[in-house]
Structures are given as structure tokens and as C-alpha cells.
Amino acid sequence: MSDLVPLPPQPEGVPWPTEEWPTADPPPGVELAPLLDQVFDDEAPLAVTFAVLVVQGGRVVAERYQGALEHFDREPTPVTAETPLLSWSMAKSMLHAVVGLLVGDGRLDLDAPADVPEWSDPGDPRHAITLRQLLAMRDGLDFTEDYVDDRVSDVIRMLFGEGQADMAHFAADRPLAAPPGTRFNYSSGTSNIVSGVVARTVGPGEPYARFLHGRLFGPIGMASADPEFDEAGTWVASSYVRATARDYARFGLLYLRDGMWDGVRILPPGWVDYARTMVSIDDPADPSPHGAHWWGRHGDTLEDLDPLGTFRASGYEGQSITICPALDLVVVRLGKTPLEREDALVPWRAAMVQAFADAR
């Protein structure tokens, strides 16, 4: 596998967006209007897009909002720059950051057996599962990630059914389907197991929320970030953060800057490289390589990864934070693209990156 593309520092003279985002025009030759028109066309295959925000060189160079959030009990709310929008599985990549904070503190060990009460018996074949295997989605647990058929779907039962009160327990209670470390299986249950480990480390409920805001969201200015917890006090890190597009871009910038923020190291050295080192590409349902709760560029192989080093946080209905180190670029897209049309977002994301590559 080729070496990782270096992560660029914040350009000299460009302020960090802890309070306000600096803005600029796109670089000469970068034509974004046609791509924005395409993604904001509700009649096009991409369906509904609420927000797109593009950051290049540490400055916002494009930003557009459209549509409204539907509510059962009141009129729709128009989407603006101040509207918190649901992350879905982009929260998994934020969980990676939280684990990094605790690893940096010496409170968690990636390669020790994970602290999961359901597997505490040394004779349990799940006892040896490590945080590293969980973050790589290679824990071996039998968990079905299906968003259509509730008869077979473990994720629907966990988020909306009998598992919703204590999602980490529901997921950890699953048996093994393969020896730990041998099989990639994308699983929201796995992320909630990891979040349960975090909850036992920092304290469930309010202490966990204080940790998130005090150590991650607060230092980088993600003031809108609102993580959702289950009844057991575990952050539902598989699926539930609400934040503005600008705040999702702040999180993307933290990873683009190698875990640094305004001269302060937030994430441990090498933690971002760990996220974007791809180790899995054996799921026929999604040819994207997977690192540690982060994705590579869709369709690349481990032998021929994107030469620009692109990686992304990704969520249901086409939520994404795309990060391109070679172009010093972050692209946030939030909306409601039906599952059967999500493949249409792959060329759109690629075209957004290519627009900057061609101009370079």
C-alpha cells in the first residue's frame, strides 16, 4: 500500500474557525456552481440536499442551503446555516476521535480485550475482542446492518425496537459469526459497543456529555453539536449527533490538520493516520476501503488508493464529510438521498474533489 498523503497545516495568516469561519472565493478555475446546482436539484437522482459547505485552505469557499425539516407537530423549519442536521453514521468517525482522546490519556488500550461486561468471562470466545478490532469493524459479531427489512435487521431492532434502551448491551449480546479479526462486517452495533466502553470509562450520561463537549466539541468550536444518549446513558455514537454544516466542517478540519487546532494538539500524534489507514475491502456490498471508523474513497483498492489521499465520514441518506489532504479540502454534504440512490453521490463527491484537482 502506498504511503499516506501528508496532512497539510493551517496556512499562515488564515485564522482558525473556532468562532467564525474565514471565507474566500474558490481558487481560479474551480467552477462549483454546476455541481451545486446538480446536488440541489430535488428532481435529480440525488434527491433532497439540505446543505453543502466547501472549505479549501482553511476558508469557506462555497456554502449553500435549501429545503426544510419536516415535523409532526409544527410547520416545516427552513434549513439555514444555523440549522442542526442529523449526522447518522458520521457520528462513528467522531467516536473514533473520542477513543483517541482516552487512548492519549492512557485510559484505554487499543490492543487489550475491550471492557465489555457481556464478554467478561475469559472462557467466552468474545472475551479477546479488542478495541482495534471493533474500530476496524472486524469483531466477528453476528450483526445485520439492514435498513429495509425489519424481520432480519439488527440495526432497526437496536435503534427503534427492543434494543433502544441500552444499545451497547443489545449489540454486545450478539454471538460470534466469525473469529475476531478475520471478517469485515459494517455494524452500528459495533460502534455502540465502543461507545459503551467509553461510557464505562468516563461515566454514563451527564459525565459522558461533559467529556464530549469539554474535550472534543468545545475546543474546536462545535457549539451546535448535540449528541443523543440512550436510557443507559450511552451516546448513540452509531447514529446520533445533530450539528450545523459549519460545525461538521470544523470536525473535518480537525482531521485534515492531523488532530491539531490553533496550536494545540487535540488528538494523539498518529491518530488521524490510524483512522485513514485502510485495512478492509472485503465487503461486496460496499467496495469502499475502511480504516478505523473512517472510509476511503469509494471503489479504490488497497493496492491503488486515491493518490490525493481522500477519506471521509459517511452516513445514511448520503451525509458525508469528505477530506482531501492533497488539495487541503473539506466538503460537507447533508441531505436525504434514498438508500437505492446513494451510489449517485459517489461520482458527485468525486467531481467536487476533481474540480479542485483540475484547477491545481
Side-chain angles (χ1 to χ4, degrees), residues 109-347:
D109 182 343
L110 285 177
D111 296 307
D115 174 22
V116 179
E118 291 81 0
W119 316 333
S120 59
D121 182 351
D124 191 313
R126 303 168 297 179
H127 177 74
I129 297 173
T130 65
L131 270 177
R132 191 181 299 276
Q133 290 168 338
L134 289 162
L135 288 172
M137 299 287 185
R138 287 181 172 271
D139 47 76
L141 294 171
D142 183 6
F143 192 94
T144 300
E145 189 87 2
D146 187 306
Y147 293 92
V148 177
D149 189 349
D150 60 5
R151 295 168 299 176
V152 301
S153 173
D154 292 311
V155 69
I156 291 175
R157 291 167 59 212
M158 178 183 70
L159 292 176
F160 310 112
E162 68 265 33
Q164 62 183 315
D166 188 345
M167 300 191 200
H169 169 70
F170 175 85
D173 214 30
R174 302 295 300 158
L176 286 179
T182 64
R183 181 195 73 157
F184 175 76
N185 180 50
Y186 180 78
S187 162
S188 289
T190 292
S191 298
N192 289 329
I193 293 169
V194 174
S195 191
V197 172
V198 173
R200 284 184 288 278
T201 304
V202 302
E206 187 56 36
Y208 195 164
R210 285 199 303 269
F211 186 87
L212 287 172
H213 289 286
R215 293 290 301 278
L216 179 61
F217 300 144
I220 66 173
M222 287 185 68
S224 71
D226 182 17
E228 185 173 319
F229 291 76
D230 66 15
E231 293 177 22
T234 301
W235 172 33
V236 187
S238 65
S239 314
Y240 295 151
V241 170
R242 286 172 176 80
T244 64
R246 292 175 180 179
D247 278 355
Y248 287 124
R250 286 182 170 94
F251 180 71
L253 187 68
L254 175 68
Y255 271 71
L256 182 63
R257 298 289 180 251
D258 194 25
M260 295 291 296
W261 196 270
D262 201 5
V264 176
R265 176 157 286 289
I266 306 293
L267 302 177
W271 194 252
V272 174
D273 285 352
Y274 166 48
R276 66 194 183 111
T277 298
M278 301 301 153
V279 294
S280 303
I281 194 165
D282 51 4
D283 180 5
D286 191 332
S288 300
H290 188 268
H293 270 45
W294 284 82
W295 292 96
R297 191 164 174 175
H298 186 103
D300 294 317
T301 69
L302 290 180
E303 291 72 32
D304 185 28
L305 285 173
D306 171 34
L308 301 175
T310 308
F311 62 111
R312 77 181 192 280
S314 193
Y316 181 64
E317 295 184 326
Q319 325 311 319
S320 60
I321 305 169
T322 301
I323 300 170
C324 183
L327 301 173
D328 199 3
L329 181 67
V330 177
V331 180
V332 174
R333 185 271 177 177
L334 305 164
K336 289 179 73 69
T337 297
L339 190 63
E340 66 273 13
R341 297 189 188 179
E342 282 195 10
D343 280 351
L345 279 167
V346 176

Side-chain angles (χ1 to χ4, degrees), residues 45-62:
L46 300 176
V48 176
T49 291
F50 294 134
V52 170
L53 190 139
V54 183
V55 175
Q56 201 277 326
R59 299 178 185 271
V60 172
V61 299

